[in-house]
Every structure is written in C-alpha cells, then in structure tokens.
Amino acid sequence: EKGEFEHFMLKEIHEQPEAIRKTLAGRIKDGRVDFPDLEFDNVFKNTGKIIIAACGTSYHAGMVGRLVIEKLARIPVEIDLASEFRYREVLWNPNDLVIVISQSGETSDTLAALREARHNGIKVLAITNVPGSTIAQEAERVIYTHAGPEIAIASTKAYSAQLLIMYLLALYLASLRDSYNPVELEGLANELLGVDAMVESVLQEQQHIKELAEKYHKVQSIFFLGRGLDYPVAMEGALKLKETSYVHAEAYATGELLHGPLALIEQGVPVLTLISQDKLVDKSMSNIKEIKARGAVVLAICKENLQEHCQECDEKILLPRINPMLAPIVAVVPLQIFAYYMALFRGNDVDKPRNLVKSVMGD
Ligand code: M6R
C-alpha cells in the first residue's frame, strides 16, 4: 500500500535507504565483501572476461558495474543491451562469465541472452529482485537485490539495489583476485555502509526539486549530460524523465555534445548536467561554458564541494560529499524526484505511464 505517499513511485523513491540497507545486510563483514551461501569461487576462478546484458534501467546499472569492475577487479567487461545481444555473433571464450541484470527476472530479451550463453556452455550469474523468477531459476548463480516489491513502472529502488550489488561484486572480485590495494577496498566497503544516510540527505532536497519541476514542466525537451561515472546516471535520468513525463530527453556523454548535438543548443534549451566526478569537473565545465554561451539553461546536479565550479549554472541541486566512485548511488535520486514531479505537473499517470508494462515479456 501507498501509505502516506500519493504514488508508488514516490514511496519507492523514499524506500531507497531501506532497500540499500537490506541489499547490503550480511554482505560486508570487517571491511570485506562476502556473499554467504554462494559458492562463487569456482564461478569466478579464471574468469577471462565478463559480459553484462540487461535492458532499460538495469542496463544503466550494468554500465556503472562495468566501470567499477574494470577499475577495481581489473577484469575486462563488455556490456550489451540484451535486446541487441541476441542478434550479434558473440565470440565466446570458455572462461567468459555472463552477468544478466533484471529487476523482474522475466524480461524476455534478458532471458534470451542468458539462454544463449548457457547454450554455449558459458556460466551465467543473474542479479534479480524476484526470487523464483525465470531468470533466477535458469542462471547458474543468483545474487538477489533485496529492494522489496517494486510496483511503479518506473524503476527506482530496484535500480539503487542493483547499483549496490555492482559495487559489492566489484569489491568481492577485487579481493578474490588481489587486484587492488586492500586498504582502499576496505575503505570503500565501509563507505558503502554509509550511503543509505547520504541518500536520506538527498531526499531532503525534495521540495527544492519539486519547485524546479514546477518551473520547467512545460519544456519540450531536455539534454542530460555526464562524463565518466556521471554518464550512466545521465542516461538513467533521461529514461526516467521520458517514461514518466513524456518529455523528450536525450542523454549524451558530455564530450560527445560537440560532435553534433551542439547544433540544437539555442536560447532557452534546458540542459541538465551531472557534476560528481572531482577529477573531470574542469573538463566538463569547459563544455558547459560552450553551451551557456549559446543560451542554454543549465541545471546542475553538483557535489557540494564542486559547487564553486558550477557558478555559471542557472540552477543547482547539491549532493553530499561522497567518494566519486560511489556518486552514482546518490546522484540518481534528484533525477528520480525530478521525473516524478515533472510527470505530476504535466498531469500524467505517474505509476502507470502510457504504453508501458512492468516487465517486457513475449518474444
Ligand atoms: O525487469 P527488468 O529489470 O528486466 O526490466 C528492464 C526494463 O524493462 C526496465 O528497467 C524499464 O526500463 C523500466 N521501466 C525503467 O524505469
């Protein structure tokens, strides 16, 4: 039931700290990640390459997963939209590992990717929120997100939980393979235990974000920009906005803006940019200056300690100071709230956007 909330989407946005705590529960002990009851070592031993396949929001969690697994565990990772994976010739190596990510565990393209891998004798690890789902049953190993049932069609808390699993897995693999400084791994694991509180603090920005949505709800289109780990977050923010508010939203890697889309920037065009990666801020702000000079209205989701770099931005939503590697977990929250209120101000059915279903099944 929705309780004090008007919609499931808002309720589920607010359930994220709890979903994060449940997903972490029992999986970090003394600064080390463990997945009790799962015999992972033989799945991961000798893994040459990881291939992630997923759709929609789950794909965006996989994009973050790729960056952190490569960085920490030093394993090459490919990522594919499951809806495309089916139609390419994958050059399998027996030591590959396929990871499928699906909230529902029933998405047909993701299931097809799993079956294709298994058919080729490749091990499959599934990350899903639904015990007993088809994907959970057919994968070799399963890691469950413990986000609880997600009712709204727009995925929010399941996404946060998927992100947490991506980090846990990266840390787990890194210590298994001794690929990263153990003290830093322990530090990251301990920081993960504090992200629920950081998400709580971003939820306090709700009123401010609501006001921004009210101000901008009549726009026709918004660009979402991000560089590095901010890029998958931009993609997720754009998807959320599209599906709930029906506003055209397009995500671009910040550097790609100059390779075509800049032609669309003119007076008054709204651009939402993610600024959470300390080392990339100067590079991104020089791109932002270019679009500001052409009249764009820039909304920045900006980490508190980087706000002096965003002075030229027209609107700012501040994020708490967080390790840049973990920033996607908090940076997505204002985008979810923004999408929610944009949908509300535009008079849409927030929990059941037109044309959409919770899990895309059938061929
Ligand atoms: O259940 P799944 O994670 O496999 O679903 C994948 C997508 O259909 C899903 O994430 C979709 O993009 C959401 N409605 C996005 O909010």
Side-chain angles (χ1 to χ4, degrees), residues 14-72:
H14 281 265
E15 283 172 348
Q16 289 182 112
E18 180 67 7
I20 289 170
R21 283 191 287 275
K22 286 193 174 147
T23 298
L24 288 175
R27 288 170 168 167
I28 298 180
K29 279 191 209 99
D30 303 327
R32 279 180 76 92
V33 173
D34 190 18
F35 292 98
D37 309 331
L38 290 172
E39 293 158 37
F40 271 153
D41 289 27
N42 68 7
V43 174
F44 291 125
K45 204 158 55 187
N46 307 325
T47 296
K49 186 176 72 192
I50 291 175
I51 302 169
I52 301 177
C55 295
T57 286
S58 299
Y59 174 78
H60 300 150
M63 287 179 74
V64 172
R66 174 172 78 141
L67 296 174
V68 294
I69 292 171
E70 287 189 332
K71 184 171 174 75
L72 300 179

Side-chain angles (χ1 to χ4, degrees), residues 55-58 102-104 107 153-155 162 239-240 243 360:
C55 295
T57 286
S58 299
S102 173
Q103 186 285 131
S104 62
T107 299
I153 285 188
S155 181
Q162 288 168 344
L239 175 61
K240 220 85 303 175
E243 73 174 331
V360 181

